[in-house]
Amino acid sequence: MIIKRIAIKNFGKIHDKTLELSPGINVLYGENESGKTTAHTFIKSMFYGIQRQRGKAAKNDVYSTYEPWENPTVYGGTIWFESADKGFRLTRNFHKVNPMSELLCEDTGEILDVDKGDLDVVLGNVSEAVYDNTVSVAQLKSVTGQDLVRELQNYMASYQGTGDNSVDLGRAMQMLKMSRKGFQVQEAHRRKETEKEQEKLAANMEYLRQEMKELDERRYEVEDKEKSLHMKPGEDDGISLLDDRIQTITRRKWMIYTGMAVFTALAAAGIFLFGKFMPETVVPQILVGVLGLTVLAGGGRMQMGLTRELVKRRKMKVRWLQKQEKLKWNRESLDEAMEEKRTALSNLQAEYKEYEEDSYLPTMEGTEIQALNLAMETIEGLSGNIHNQVGGKLRERTSRILSEITGGKYQEVLMDQELRMTVNTQERIVPMERLSRGTMEQIYFALRMAAGELLCSEQHFPVILDDVFGMYDEDRLKAVLHWLHKENRQIIISTCHKREMEILEKEGIPYQKLKL
């Protein structure tokens, strides 16, 4: 891929500026604050757009930093480049109100759709993170970040498996963790709800048992009262005794009535006989009459007493029957209530048992969590073997580049799975932290270039370096410039120093100077 021309219409401090680029080394020269980093950011923004931040972060994001103060509705420009032997023109306006992106294949006249991923295809599906950490090195960013580690691991794993670096293992692991967290929350919520339901069922069962106990106690009381209606154990119940008593009183009343009637008849007969055969005296008649009246009076009093007792016994019978009926109704009601409680308790026990049985069965969430754990273990295992599987290619290429730019002083870079590096000087192994800053810059440069070759194998991007040689002495800078020229790639070096151009001229390395 080669960038042929950039036309910055309105971007940051640069307005209406066009730069023609050559296929080889281009030196973009300008004093500090002249806009070199702005041009660097413009190229990246044209290829990958500008992601606006939200909230407080929006005040210092790329969009706000480079938004033009004058005529902000015109915010962007055009870039012409070659990719896969075809020429393209990409025009963008980044203004938030009416953003616009237009990608034209100048060879075929076809207008491609940026929003649907056509630009990604043209760029060889090189991600923004890869671009940032390999071929495009911004000012004060010569040390690789965690994004590079993730992209390298992703590339090496997918290269070994399918040869396709479009699978993002880091993001996949993150998505799996997020999904697992979601299912874990759901499972915890389900478990908590189940525990609540079981607690509620247990409380309801205990409440029912207490109610059943109270019903039992009330039934015992009713039975005791029913038993109390019997006069003595083994005797007939009270109502039978009352009936017998009523019958006895009734018989006595009839006997008294009969006796009184017979005695009255006898007394009348006596008076009649005394009056017939003893007319000369009335004493016997009077005595018989007094006796008869006395007997009648006594009999009447007895009748009245028996009548009162009969009425009393009949009332007692009525009350007794009412009491019996009430106790019977209470007992039956208690039996019905007890049966309902037993049924309800049985249902609750069955439901509680179902919850207990279900707790031993795998839930949907649990199955998903197990599957996600297995997927994560697979990815972790794959990532753990990355270095042994294909990491040698990165180490080998990094070592070769480092050897070339150090004149063979450092010939081998050793790195572990986390890309922590040491250097083999053929005499000893030296940890990175014991090397000079200039040597460390060279190692990281070699790593970026090697990673760029691996991650951008489909499309070789121009190497864009923005004031990254500040820690290089003249020999180191000369070696790096020779290596860049040898690679026969488009190079864009942004600098505020003239020594890069002086060394290029002294070494006879062709370049094009662009001034801001």
Side-chain angles (χ1 to χ4, degrees), residues 103 112-125:
L103 178 61
L112 305 177
D113 195 328
V114 175
D115 295 330
K116 291 185 177 180
D118 290 346
L119 178 59
D120 296 334
V121 176
V122 172
L123 298 179
N125 293 310

Side-chain angles (χ1 to χ4, degrees), residues 234-469:
E235 292 185 354
D236 293 335
D237 58 27
I239 196 65
S240 298
L241 296 174
L242 283 173
D243 284 338
D244 291 342
R245 185 61 178 166
I246 290 171
Q247 291 176 6
T248 300
I249 295 172
T250 303
R251 284 196 300 271
R252 288 178 63 186
K253 283 188 67 176
W254 281 110
M255 288 174 62
I256 293 173
Y257 278 130
T258 303
M260 289 176 66
V262 171
F263 188 79
T264 301
L266 291 174
I271 293 173
F272 175 75
L273 291 174
F274 279 116
K276 182 176 181 181
F277 296 103
M278 297 176 68
E280 66 280 2
T281 178
V282 295
V283 174
Q285 294 177 345
I286 293 173
L287 290 174
V288 171
V290 171
L291 179 60
L293 291 173
T294 301
V295 171
L296 288 174
R301 285 194 298 271
M302 290 178 67
Q303 282 286 358
M304 290 178 62
L306 291 172
T307 299
R308 285 194 297 270
E309 186 176 358
L310 182 61
V311 171
K312 179 180 177 181
R313 297 298 177 180
R314 286 174 174 169
K315 287 182 178 180
M316 287 178 65
K317 180 180 178 180
V318 171
R319 288 197 297 270
W320 203 289
L321 290 172
Q322 290 176 343
K323 190 173 183 180
Q324 258 191 344
E325 186 64 27
K326 183 176 180 181
L327 289 173
K328 180 182 178 183
W329 181 84
N330 285 340
R331 177 168 47 78
E332 291 176 349
S333 297
L334 291 173
D335 288 342
E336 291 178 2
M338 180 65 76
E339 188 61 29
E340 291 177 359
K341 301 297 182 185
R342 287 197 186 97
T343 302
L345 180 61
S346 177
N347 292 337
L348 290 176
Q349 288 172 334
E351 189 174 354
Y352 191 86
K353 185 177 181 180
E354 287 180 4
Y355 276 111
E356 286 187 328
E357 292 174 349
D358 289 344
S359 65
Y360 296 104
L361 298 176
T363 62
M364 181 197 71
E365 292 83 2
T367 303
E368 291 291 343
I369 290 172
Q370 290 179 359
L372 291 170
N373 285 336
L374 180 60
M376 291 169 65
E377 289 173 4
T378 302
I379 289 178
E380 288 176 354
L382 183 62
S383 299
N385 293 325
I386 286 173
H387 180 69
N388 295 329
Q389 292 171 344
V390 292
K393 288 188 177 182
L394 176 64
R395 182 178 61 82
E396 181 182 349
R397 182 55 180 154
T398 301
S399 298
R400 188 181 303 118
I401 294 173
L402 180 64
S403 178
E404 291 181 19
I405 64 177
T406 61
K409 181 178 181 180
Y410 301 105
Q411 295 188 354
E412 185 178 24
V413 175
L414 306 175
M415 64 183 71
D416 63 14
Q417 182 176 324
E418 300 298 327
L419 296 185
R420 290 188 293 265
M421 290 176 287
T422 55
V423 178
N424 183 9
T425 66
Q426 294 188 340
E427 296 178 357
R428 58 178 180 153
I429 303 298
V430 182
M432 281 280 291
E433 58 269 16
R434 294 187 181 180
L435 298 172
S436 67
R437 177 60 189 265
T439 303
M440 291 176 63
E441 293 278 358
Q442 288 178 305
I443 294 172
Y444 278 117
F445 174 82
L447 173 62
R448 284 181 180 276
M449 296 302 101
E453 292 179 8
L454 289 173
L455 299 175
C456 305
S457 58
E458 183 178 338
Q459 186 65 258
H460 291 292
F461 267 68
V463 176
I464 304 175
L465 307 171
D466 184 8
D467 271 338
V468 298
F469 299 129

